[in-house]
Amino acid sequence: MKKLVLSLLAILALLPAEAQIRGNSIVVTVEPDHLDWNYRVGETAHFTIEVRRSGTLVNNVSIDYAAGPEMYQDVKKTATLKDGTLKLNGKMGTPGFYRVDVTAHVDGKDYRGACAAAFSPEKLQPTTVMPKDFKEFWENAVKEARYTSLEPTKRLLPERCTKDVNVYEVSFQNVRWNSRTYGILCEPVKEGKYPALLRVPGAGVRPYGGDVWTAAQGIITLEIGIHGIPVTMEQKVYDDLANGALNCYWEFGADNRDKSYYRRVVLGCIRAIDYIEQFTSWNGRQLGVTGSSQGGFLSLATAGLDRRVTCYAPVHAAMCDYTAAFQGVACGWPHYFYGSGKKEVNSDKAEATRYYDGVNFARLITEQQYGWFSFGYCDDVVPPTTAYATYNTVKGPKLLSPYQATWHFWFQEQWDEWENWLIEKLKG
């Protein structure tokens, strides 16, 4: 019996030390010869492709690669790398991003790597045209939405509260009676007036936990969902909706500016600030908005439409410069017109989506609003061509912090810089 007990204790002692799966032994890298990945138009970028196993070059490895302007690569080849390495060159005659994608085939599995070099990106300009009544359309939409009172609800979530932060699920009416926006409100426990931060979501259907950490720094946070459903249900509910009624919701009403799914979404962000102003202990001065991907677009839209916003931070901002596809240039997610050539140039959809293009909201941002922009050069969901062109559009004070090697994800350092910038702007 004593031996059995000792054996069980030994096994239990080993359980916490169980190794986790992280990364791959096979790594594909594509490296440019400029440290900042930036070049001038007309220069030649030199790329080095390497395939390594446990840090050592792999001999006789088969690869496929594509190279050229992002989303429109015109070089597609296969090769066998005798010593695990290959050198390529690329150049552009106009501002943009030249992308190299590599897929290595090792032991029956595929491994990817990529690099996108920027050519005079500071000269990139978007293609989208702002409708003449763009500002009027949105001012009227906000005015109409405010005819509906907020009628808020607020429910304490004691299991999420800390000694410094109270956490609530809240809701408020949006564009019409019983059309509601739900979110997680985090407020400092200590009485007082505080700056506030609105967090807007990336694409998808999911629950939300709220931003307790930022609230603990002395900032009210409100993280909202966009689908008009509670944000604290079990995951299966959201999975069923994502695969059912809300599947590809970004296409709903895309050919009609008045019926677009995003009309209600954008107005919900403005009503969220109405809620912060009327029903929280906001200090009435500093107010930020931030989000990534779809949330990057919503950050631009909210800052462009609402002068109460003093700072905004769009990360990997999607939904910018859709019409670039008509000129054979990388276009913003959800890539409405990619592959259509010019057959939809004069379509209802092309006209309607201009009212939901992040570039046109960015054009409304003022000198009194501070922006922090970040994106990855390797992002294959949100092309850096659109992200950089959108950044160039903004006339107000702004800071650009690209993390070149990221795809459509964050690096820890990027996340930390983002959080620190927001706290500095909101509490400074």
Side-chain angles (χ1 to χ4, degrees):
M1 179 61 69
K2 184 177 181 180
K3 288 182 179 180
L4 178 59
V5 171
L6 290 174
S7 298
L8 288 172
L9 288 174
I11 292 171
L12 291 172
L14 290 173
L15 288 178
E18 182 179 352
Q20 297 178 344
I21 297 174
R22 181 177 298 176
N24 293 297
S25 173
I26 305 296
V27 176
V28 181
T29 60
V30 186
E31 183 179 333
D33 60 334
H34 283 192
L35 295 179
D36 61 0
W37 300 32
N38 292 337
Y39 300 79
R40 293 189 301 273
V41 165
E43 283 188 298
T44 299
H46 304 279
F47 301 94
T48 300
I49 298 169
E50 293 184 339
V51 182
R52 294 177 177 269
R53 187 200 305 268
S54 299
T56 302
L57 291 170
V58 179
N59 294 329
N60 299 313
V61 61
S62 174
I63 68 166
D64 300 317
Y65 68 88
E70 63 168 343
M71 295 183 73
Y72 293 92
Q73 292 160 305
D74 51 6
V75 176
K76 297 182 180 180
K77 295 184 177 181
T78 62
T80 298
L81 312 187
K82 291 183 179 180
D83 60 354
T85 186
L86 176 69
K87 294 189 180 296
L88 296 176
N89 297 330
K91 65 166 53 178
M92 294 188 71
T94 57
F97 282 78
Y98 189 96
R99 183 180 175 99
V100 177
D101 280 283
V102 178
T103 302
H105 311 290
V106 182
D107 298 333
K109 296 183 179 180
D110 293 340
Y111 300 87
R112 292 184 66 197
C115 173
F119 285 82
S120 301
E122 72 282 355
K123 296 181 180 180
L124 280 167
Q125 292 298 317
T127 66
T128 191
V129 176
M130 177 183 279
K132 292 181 179 179
D133 66 343
F134 181 87
K135 188 175 180 182
E136 179 184 6
F137 169 79
W138 282 107
E139 287 176 345
N140 289 339
V142 172
K143 183 178 179 181
E144 180 183 336
R146 285 178 173 152
Y147 288 144
T148 301
S149 60
L150 290 173
E151 299 292 334
T153 67
K154 187 176 183 180
R155 180 172 67 91
L156 183 69
L157 303 175
E159 70 280 4
R160 302 190 188 185
C161 296
T162 70
K163 64 181 181 63
D164 299 313
V165 178
N166 286 327
V167 182
Y168 308 88
E169 182 177 39
V170 301
S171 76
F172 44 87
Q173 293 190 136
N174 185 334
V175 296
R176 59 185 176 275
W177 185 258
N178 278 339
S179 170
R180 304 190 76 83
T181 294
Y182 289 80
I184 302 295
L185 174 68
C186 300
E187 291 188 296
V189 170
K190 185 178 179 181
E191 289 189 12
K193 295 291 185 178
Y194 296 95
L197 176 65
L198 174 64
R199 300 189 68 135
V200 285
V205 189
R206 65 181 72 85
Y208 293 97
D211 186 357
V212 178
W213 186 87
T214 302
Q217 314 309 308
I219 298 170
I220 297 164
T221 65
L222 175 59
E223 182 178 37
I224 61 170
I226 64 169
H227 300 300
I229 55 176
V231 292
T232 56
M233 299 182 290
E234 63 180 50
Q235 183 64 47
K236 187 178 185 305
V237 175
Y238 304 101
D239 293 342
D240 288 345
L241 286 169
N243 292 308
L246 293 177
N247 185 249
C248 294
Y249 65 84
W250 45 84
E251 293 281 356
F252 298 174
D255 60 352
N256 187 318
R257 69 175 190 177
D258 297 308
K259 295 182 179 180
S260 169
Y261 192 85
Y262 282 103
R263 182 179 185 275
R264 179 187 175 281
V265 173
V266 171
L267 293 173
C269 296
I270 305 303
R271 301 311 311 272
I273 297 180
D274 291 345
Y275 175 87
I276 289 172
E277 181 177 44
Q278 296 176 37
F279 296 100
T280 74
S281 52
W282 177 45
N283 64 16
R285 298 190 300 277
Q286 303 100 327
L287 193 148
V289 59
T290 190
S292 66
S293 194
Q294 174 189 264
F297 156 74
L298 293 175
S299 299
L300 293 168
T302 306
L305 294 178
D306 201 315
R307 297 296 167 260
R308 291 171 295 185
V309 173
T310 58
C311 65
Y312 62 102
V315 183
H316 310 289
M319 304 181 67
C320 293
D321 208 18
Y322 307 120
T323 56
F326 298 143
Q327 299 185 17
V329 175
C331 55
W333 180 92
H335 315 300
Y336 287 125
F337 308 111
Y338 181 66
S340 68
K342 294 188 177 182
K343 66 181 181 181
E344 293 191 76
V345 168
N346 298 313
S347 66
D348 291 342
K349 191 173 184 178
E351 179 60 27
T353 55
R354 290 188 175 96
Y355 291 87
Y356 299 91
D357 194 309
V359 169
N360 288 330
F361 290 104
R363 288 169 170 154
L364 300 180
I365 291 171
T366 72
E367 295 286 344
Q368 286 70 47
Q369 297 169 296
Y370 291 81
W372 185 85
F373 290 73
S374 189
F375 49 83
Y377 282 17
C378 292
D379 196 332
D380 56 352
V381 177
V382 173
T385 297
T386 66
Y388 221 121
T390 303
Y391 171 80
N392 291 341
T393 299
V394 174
K395 303 302 182 185
K398 57 188 178 180
L399 177 66
L400 176 61
S401 185
Y403 280 74
Q404 289 88 339
T406 59
W407 293 46
H408 201 57
F409 56 76
W410 298 71
F411 282 153
Q412 184 63 55
E413 295 86 350
Q414 183 183 20
W415 181 281
D416 294 342
E417 183 183 346
W418 169 66
E419 287 275 12
N420 291 337
W421 186 88
L422 284 167
I423 290 172
E424 177 186 348
K425 284 300 176 188
L426 291 171
K427 298 190 70 175

